[in-house]
Amino acid sequence: MDYLTFEKVTKRFGDVSVVSESSLAIARNSLVVFLGPSGCGKTTLMRMAGGLDTPTTGTIRLGGEAIAGPDRRRGMVFQSYSSFPWLTVEGNIAFGMRYRDDLHAHQRAERVAHYLKLIGLEDFSKSFPNRISGGMRQRVAIARSLAAGSDVLLMDEPFGALDALTRERLQVELRQIQAEEKKTIIFVTHDVEEAVFLADRIILFSARPARVIKDIIVTKILGATRTLAARESQEFFKLRNEVLHLIRKEAETVR
Amino acid sequence: MMREVLTFRGKATAGTEFALGVAAAVVVLLLWEVVARLEFVAPQFLPPPSKVIAALWTMATTQHLLWHSLISSLRVWVAFLIAAAMAIPIGILMSSYRIVGAPLEPMIDFIRYLPVPALVPLSIIWFGVGEETKIFLLWLGTFFQLVLLVADDMRRVPHEYVEIAFTLGARPRQVMTDVALRSMGPNLVDNLRITLGWCWTYLVIAEIVAADSGLGFVIWSARRYVKTPEVMAGVVVIGLIGLITDQLLRALHRRMFRYL
């Protein structure tokens, strides 16, 4: 079923066309990766879904309702400045709930405890972000959106600044979190391997202005469960190379 | 200890740093004492530090030095607090809303470059020679600088924080109080501390021109009778007050922003 839909969306910044007419339908409870060359406009498309940018033409809908601006149903996770340095880990996770008056104090506390456990940072609940690792900070950012009650997570190269091992672990964890919490995730990256490993579905974009050039249902090829072993399978390499060729060809057209 | 301080880009413990700082001050004072005692320079130009300290003692015990210091501090703090109370909200609005920033920025930039002493005559015409003139001059020297610093602090709040707050359901007002103010806090307090220091610079100008009290007045009247030790003692007091205030504000900064 279509949940988040982009209907003939375009975006121009002044004279520069960033997104050329794109239509997309994203199913609920799926992890969709927006993949494309750097600066192609995929981030802008995702930001418009967050309500942080407005389409020049076209409409984006969540559950049938047109998106007019940012709200807590669609939470953002950025690569840097992702957690508030003046709040502890648990303060960060609780942050979004201060704008919800439908939750009692004990419900808030329960939710904080739940998401602390989900991201495995119970022992760091009182730590400030600059005392924990970059990977932990990204986990905190994810938990904060979930605790606030986001249905959709919009992630803008969230693991881009992490070392390879941490990044791999977080990719595995993100898929687990997505399965447990049943959230819809749009994940923007330019890293092909990350895209193939993470995605239920990859939308491959052209160089700027962004246009969908390929829509790949990864679950049909790699299945729904991904372990680190899946990373070494024949199917994984085959798909990765295929996507890599497509994206290389695309990157060459702009040179 | 010798090794670590002599190493290229080496580090030293806090104790070593402190000891070296004190030692350097003692050496300078001793050199000064010797040079002055040997009268290489006429004593009315360069009295030895021992004479300055003696003058400080006499001034404190018989010439109401503490009272003058208090008056000066009061002037500085009143003017500074007025300037801060105006500059913080105006600076924040300037960088948050172009309707406030666009008209004010060029004007403030212009006034900022007017030298405060040049405005002394105008200030006396407007406010006479009472307290108002001094407060006005101090305010003038700090407000226009501070407002731009505050605007800049606000501008440097990472946009990610603002957008995260919006996607967590915050309204603009809440983004301002819960995110922007918290994020700019450390820089803001730092800038307040620095601007307070500038206030002391203008204080002396204001008190030299029109006052019968305060440290600027003390220094200026001592000069009239070429009481060089008294002049130096007055300067030293201002320096000490500055140093102590600065250290207190730094300590406050550390307490307020433990997460840094």
Side-chain angles (χ1 to χ4, degrees):
Chain A
M1 198 201 94
D2 296 344
Y3 176 55
L4 181 62
T5 56
F6 297 75
E7 297 159 16
K8 297 183 174 172
V9 173
T10 68
K11 180 67 180 179
R12 304 179 66 85
F13 286 116
D15 289 339
V16 185
S17 177
V18 182
V19 177
S20 65
E21 198 176 286
S22 302
S23 292
L24 267 178
I26 288 166
R28 188 171 204 143
N29 189 14
S30 63
L31 203 166
V32 177
V33 172
F34 284 6
L35 180 67
S38 288
C40 78
K42 55 194 189 295
T43 296
T44 307
L45 199 62
M46 185 195 70
R47 287 175 54 83
M48 291 192 286
L52 297 172
D53 280 321
T54 341
T56 307
T57 61
T59 318
I60 304 172
R61 291 176 199 280
L62 180 69
E65 191 188 325
I67 289 166
D71 61 58
R72 70 173 165 82
R73 283 172 296 174
R74 297 173 313 281
M76 289 287 297
V77 178
F78 292 103
Q79 180 181 120
S80 45
Y81 301 109
S82 59
S83 52
F84 299 130
W86 60 90
L87 294 174
T88 58
V89 165
E90 76 185 357
N92 264 285
I93 295 175
F95 182 88
M97 288 191 277
R98 52 173 99 171
Y99 308 120
R100 289 186 61 171
D101 32 31
D102 57 330
L103 293 174
H104 290 295
H106 67 93
Q107 286 172 304
R108 285 168 207 243
E110 274 167 23
R111 286 176 77 90
V112 170
H114 170 80
Y115 289 106
L116 264 176
K117 188 158 184 284
L118 183 74
I119 59 170
L121 289 186
E122 297 105 314
D123 293 344
F124 294 89
S125 64
K126 307 277 189 231
S127 301
F128 284 105
N130 71 343
R131 303 277 192 277
I132 61 177
S133 70
M136 291 181 185
R137 283 200 286 272
Q138 294 312 84
R139 290 189 184 98
V140 170
I142 294 167
R144 184 182 48 203
S145 271
L146 295 175
S150 300
D151 300 317
V152 180
L153 281 187
L154 303 170
M155 309 182 76
D156 189 6
E157 300 190 21
F159 307 151
L162 305 176
D163 66 90
L165 279 176
T166 310
R167 178 186 257 231
E168 212 173 64
R169 255 182 66 191
L170 276 168
Q171 289 164 356
V172 173
E173 283 177 26
L174 182 64
R175 280 202 62 93
Q176 283 165 356
I177 288 171
Q178 195 263 339
E180 274 175 48
E181 298 283 319
K182 310 245 179 292
K183 301 292 176 187
T184 310
I185 297 177
I186 298 185
F187 190 105
V188 165
T189 184
H190 54 246
D191 179 334
V192 174
E193 201 144 328
E194 179 168 73
V196 172
F197 181 73
L198 264 181
D200 289 329
R201 176 183 172 196
I202 294 175
I203 315 280
L204 185 60
F205 288 96
S206 67
R208 198 172 71 194
R211 176 175 43 84
V212 180
I213 50 174
K214 188 100 185 177
D215 188 341
I216 308 162
I217 310 295
V218 183
T219 39
K220 276 191 187 162
I221 306 164
L222 297 181
T225 46
R226 310 282 160 78
T227 55
L228 283 178
R231 265 201 128 100
E232 285 147 30
S233 69
Q234 283 277 297
E235 293 82 6
F236 181 85
F237 276 115
K238 211 170 137 245
L239 182 58
R240 188 201 69 161
N241 292 341
E242 214 173 286
V243 176
L244 206 52
H245 287 145
L246 282 168
I247 203 169
R248 256 188 215 142
K249 216 163 69 190
E250 191 49 41
E252 269 164 22
T253 61
V254 279
R255 233 185 341 151
Chain B
M1 174 185 154
M2 275 320 269
R3 266 187 83 97
E4 63 199 17
V5 296
L6 289 174
T7 310
F8 176 62
R9 305 200 119 189
K11 295 209 186 320
T13 59
T16 312
E17 299 256 347
F18 183 75
L20 284 173
V22 171
V26 169
V27 167
V28 169
L29 283 174
L30 278 178
L31 267 176
W32 176 6
E33 184 78 31
V34 169
V35 169
R37 292 255 171 212
L38 293 176
E39 302 204 359
F40 286 136
V41 184
Q44 60 264 48
F45 292 118
L46 190 71
S50 52
K51 283 253 172 69
V52 176
I53 292 165
L56 202 59
W57 179 250
T58 326
M59 289 160 84
T61 48
T62 63
Q63 293 164 22
H64 311 293
L65 183 64
L66 277 176
W67 181 75
H68 287 293
S69 310
L70 216 67
I71 291 278
S72 287
S73 301
L74 205 63
R75 284 175 187 147
V76 164
W77 275 98
V78 168
F80 172 72
L81 289 177
I82 294 173
M86 292 172 71
I88 294 171
I90 294 174
I92 288 175
L93 288 175
M94 271 172 64
S95 71
S96 305
Y97 298 100
R98 290 323 293 158
I99 186 68
V100 186
L104 288 185
E105 271 158 25
M107 210 188 319
I108 289 176
D109 250 333
F110 170 70
I111 300 174
R112 188 162 76 106
Y113 282 106
L114 299 180
V116 170
L119 291 165
V120 170
L122 191 64
S123 162
I124 292 178
I125 292 174
W126 283 350
F127 300 106
V129 291
E131 288 304 313
E132 294 91 336
T133 288
K134 283 155 225 139
I135 304 291
F136 174 71
L137 287 172
L138 294 184
W139 173 84
L140 200 66
T142 43
F143 170 76
F144 293 96
Q145 311 281 341
L146 188 56
V147 77
L148 293 181
L149 289 173
V150 173
D152 198 47
D153 289 341
M154 178 69 187
R155 206 169 295 125
R156 277 188 292 168
V157 171
H159 201 52
E160 284 89 341
Y161 292 164
V162 173
E163 293 190 328
I164 286 168
F166 275 129
T167 60
L168 291 172
R171 297 168 187 289
R173 230 195 131 86
Q174 294 164 325
V175 174
M176 194 82 100
T177 54
D178 298 352
V179 174
L181 270 175
R182 294 300 303 270
S183 168
M184 71 194 282
N187 284 334
L188 182 65
V189 171
D190 249 343
N191 280 328
L192 287 172
R193 179 175 60 80
I194 291 162
T195 328
L196 181 64
W198 296 344
C199 231
W200 279 95
T201 319
Y202 298 120
L203 173 84
V204 178
I205 294 164
E207 285 183 345
I208 281 176
V209 174
D212 47 18
S213 60
L215 290 168
F217 165 78
V218 169
I219 293 170
W220 200 239
S221 13
R223 178 217 61 112
R224 201 173 300 158
Y225 307 104
V226 204
K227 291 183 184 165
T228 317
E230 267 91 339
V231 173
M232 287 186 164
V235 175
V236 166
V237 172
I238 293 182
L240 282 177
I241 294 176
L243 184 71
I244 292 165
T245 320
D246 204 72
Q247 290 302 318
L248 285 176
L249 290 177
R250 278 173 197 272
L252 183 75
H253 190 281
R254 279 194 296 273
R255 270 191 82 90
M256 281 174 80
F257 309 111
R258 281 175 200 279
Y259 58 85
L260 287 175

